[in-house]
Amino acid sequence: MIIDIKVPQLSESVAEANLLAWHRQIGEGVARGDNLVDIETDKVVLELPAPKAGVLVEILKGAGARVLAGEKIARIDTEAAATFVSKAGAAAREEEISKSLPETSQGDFSRMPMPSARKILDEKGLDPADVAGTGRGG
């Protein structure tokens, strides 16, 4: 059975978040409770655990993608075995995901502004590269 992995309900004042890093790749087996991905809001970084054991068969949103609460980001097949998904297929899907990401989210994720800062930058029409960060690591 295929189950959808969705972004959990975010806090009341938070509308969006960023996917930081996937800890499992397409074709890898996951146990119930394994951390699949880290999700960053302007307030916290959340770990999203696998709700059931199975095989991660699809990643719909790659690292660096902006997501909303309840948005579908991946799929797990609870009846599949990890050997059924080829590594070539997983690599092709990962490349497809990275091509679909906006230019600013490809490459070095350490320089990406937090969602709240990105919103202000967008409102002011500023380029993130022109603004020096003041937090840990810039």
Side-chain angles (χ1 to χ4, degrees), residues 23-120:
H23 297 287
R24 296 289 190 267
Q25 299 303 316
I26 296 172
E28 288 185 338
V30 296
R32 183 173 187 237
D34 282 354
N35 184 19
L36 296 175
V37 64
D38 293 331
I39 301 173
E40 177 187 50
T41 71
D42 57 344
K43 297 181 179 187
V44 297
V45 175
L46 307 166
E47 293 182 346
L48 182 61
K52 294 191 177 189
V55 174
L56 186 62
V57 293
E58 189 173 13
I59 295 176
L60 302 170
K61 298 282 187 168
R66 195 182 281 183
V67 294
L68 302 173
E71 187 173 353
K72 185 173 22 171
I73 57 173
R75 298 172 69 198
I76 291 177
D77 187 343
T78 59
E79 298 172 355
T83 57
F84 289 151
V85 179
S86 71
K87 290 188 179 192
R93 179 65 180 146
E94 188 62 34
E95 183 178 330
E96 182 182 322
I97 289 170
S98 68
K99 285 181 182 176
S100 70
L101 293 175
E103 250 342 277
T104 57
S105 65
Q106 293 182 9
D108 182 15
F109 297 118
S110 65
R111 296 285 302 151
M112 289 180 59
M114 306 253 320
S116 58
R118 184 177 15 256
K119 181 179 178 185
I120 294 169

